[in-house]
Amino acid sequence: MNIKYTLPTLASLILLTGSPFSWADNPIIKHIYTADPAAAVFNDKVYIYTGHDEASPTDRNYRMDDWHVFSSSDLTTWEDHGEVLSLDDFSWASADAWAGQMIQRGDKYYWYVPVNNDKQGWFGIGVAVSDSPTGPFHDALGHALISDNMTPDETLDIDPTVFIDHDGQAYLYWGNATNNGIVKAVKLKDNMIELDGSIQSIGTDQVPDFTEAPYLHERNGIYYLSYAAGWPERIEYSTATHPMGPFTHKGVILNADDVSSPTSHQSIIEYKNQWYLVYHNADLPDGGEFRRSVAMDKLYYDNNGNIKKVIPTKEGVGTPGIEEGQYVVKNVLSHRCLQPLDGATSDGTQIVQHSCDDSAAQNFTLKHSLDGRYKLVHQQSGKLLDISRGSAANGANAILWSDYDGPNQFWNLTRERDNSPLFSIENDHSQRLLESLNASTEQDAKVGQWQDNGGNQQRWWLAKPGAIQIEPIAYPDRVLTYRANGVWMEETPAPLSSSQFKPVPGLYDSTGVSFESVTHPGYYLRHRNYTLYMEYNNHKGTFAQDATFYRRSGLSDSKGVSYESSNFPNYYIRHEYYKLRIDPIESQLDRTDATFLEVSPLK
């Protein structure tokens, strides 16, 4: 369907598949526009709290109504936890869900956000609180913690950042240079929702060319205050020996000419003994000043503790590999899928190949490590794909076994060659490949390991459970693929999961159908202003209707299917210049453009 490399003996398989490789490149979030990243590490996982740019390509101002949270343990696969905070959560707010910052204190998570404050001037800084880093969050105060009348010399009270020092003292910083505004700072009480003393100013003698986006972090007793400077904005920093300064200017972290967005906003974190700069650019299709994208690169210090300038990379920071998540593992030779024998779940259960049926017994979860290896976790049992007795011998059986971090429980997944849909699965301990033993194609034949022999019994394809791809009947080499700027017909979706959908009962009418992202649960195909998008279901407005369609017999070919809008009768999903929208059908060409095939990789 979208693969250029083919093998004649595998034609039927390849027509249904593509490479599930997801390269860990920048921007790290590709399905929506995100900005102003606030990164944090909680429980050995990285969380990034972002604003959500919703401006159209023709808008000339920001349109931001909510915030999202993304998390990752490998910096390659980012889970979108959805719209976890919005303007609706603050009764005193009217607009502008701008750049915030998250911090943990005790068993609570506090999110400081600036919003347009109807009741006390222009902008105010509110506090949302939760028992979990992914929410649900609620307004901790019912009013702004910081309001205009508290800072008469600060026009825009925005871009809060929060820091807790080693002695437990918490500090809040914010500011913007409009009308000569400067960085403001104040201590917080232990409850994190009350000020502890008077608001202080950090002048431009300490942070030259300050524009906005202050951020404080500490390393080896040095306090680093980074900020956006000038216009277009670059990231500079100053240092001090105390969180309140005085600060001494040190230099530039990120040049304005090195990013595609005129605004800049950063956070700096350490994760697994490596420091990172998290920032935004405008590199996604149709990106721009009001449609930005979060990116991430490594950050280094010299021997004197000075931050070295960061040069943005396309490659980013994650280890290239297959996306984490649930998969069905299908053998190329037999066209059968991995599962435990008879669905058993005890330690030592033999792994076999069985007719693919998309059952839970055939679901494995890939867990990616920062060194590029994987664990394959059987969903039903929670146990790992292992090799019996840790053997390194040819013919040793593949089994289920409880996780004990043994080297024989790690696997290397290698793409065969460019544009190939085939993968080898190599045991990290034995360096031998997973295969259907003796090249058997029989039902419930044993699976084990053997040295690389180039046979199809050692080639595997990984499919998302329950996934389909939607193929325009007139363009069999393309599939519907979602990006931040809409849904398009593409030949080589990257990643493959951006072209995979899970059909579910219609959100508005269960007799209809809705299409959920297999990678981002809670995101659905919906039309907005007649254009098709993949968007998060916030349960507001007409979302459910916009995301519900009725399957009809193909308008141009009864072997296909057409999708009629639930709230716009006689309007159908169709492609126009490779972009998907809903339209009335008026011609034979329209009927062809509105006819599709649903293709399941497991059939």
Side-chain angles (χ1 to χ4, degrees), residues 510-540:
S510 61
T511 66
V513 63
S514 295
F515 296 98
E516 186 176 19
S517 165
V518 297
T519 304
H520 305 294
Y523 279 77
Y524 295 85
L525 289 183
R526 61 86 57 99
H527 64 82
R528 178 164 49 81
N529 298 326
Y530 303 105
T531 299
L532 214 61
Y533 295 92
M534 175 64 73
E535 292 187 343
Y536 181 71
N537 180 14
N538 58 11
H539 303 282
K540 297 176 183 177

Side-chain angles (χ1 to χ4, degrees), residues 21-34:
F21 240 67
S22 173
W23 296 97
D25 57 0
N26 280 321
I28 59 175
I29 308 301
K30 298 177 175 63
H31 60 288
I32 62 173
Y33 296 104
T34 52

Side-chain angles (χ1 to χ4, degrees), residues 46-62:
V46 174
Y47 292 81
I48 301 180
Y49 300 80
T50 77
H52 179 199
D53 279 340
E54 299 177 85
S56 74
T58 58
D59 283 340
R60 292 295 175 263
N61 211 332
Y62 300 105

Side-chain angles (χ1 to χ4, degrees), residues 200-273:
Q200 306 296 313
S201 296
I202 299 174
T204 54
D205 57 327
Q206 300 179 63
V207 284
D209 293 328
F210 169 75
T211 302
E212 57 189 353
Y215 180 85
L216 192 86
H217 76 280
E218 181 270 341
R219 176 181 179 269
N220 295 341
I222 300 175
Y223 298 86
Y224 296 79
L225 180 58
S226 54
Y227 58 94
W231 186 266
E233 292 175 346
R234 60 193 179 275
I235 300 299
E236 300 198 5
Y237 77 105
S238 300
T239 63
T241 57
H242 188 275
M244 296 292 276
F247 290 89
T248 300
H249 183 252
K250 289 295 184 177
V252 175
I253 299 175
L254 185 67
N255 276 328
D257 290 343
D258 289 336
V259 292
S260 51
S261 168
T263 63
S264 209
H265 196 107
Q266 80 296 345
S267 50
I268 296 171
I269 59 168
E270 184 183 22
Y271 182 59
K272 296 187 182 296
N273 300 313

Side-chain angles (χ1 to χ4, degrees), residues 67 84-94 102 108-120 124-131 135-146 191-194:
W67 297 267
V84 296
L85 188 66
S86 77
L87 293 172
D88 292 342
D89 294 307
F90 299 95
S91 61
W92 48 274
S94 62
M102 167 67 65
K108 300 289 185 183
Y109 297 84
Y110 297 89
W111 199 346
Y112 297 80
V113 293
V115 293
N116 211 312
N117 180 0
D118 278 345
K119 298 183 178 180
Q120 294 175 297
I125 295 174
V127 188
V129 64
S130 175
D131 296 327
F137 290 89
H138 67 271
D139 186 355
L141 289 169
H143 57 81
L145 174 66
I146 302 293
N191 64 15
M192 302 299 285
I193 56 174
E194 291 183 272

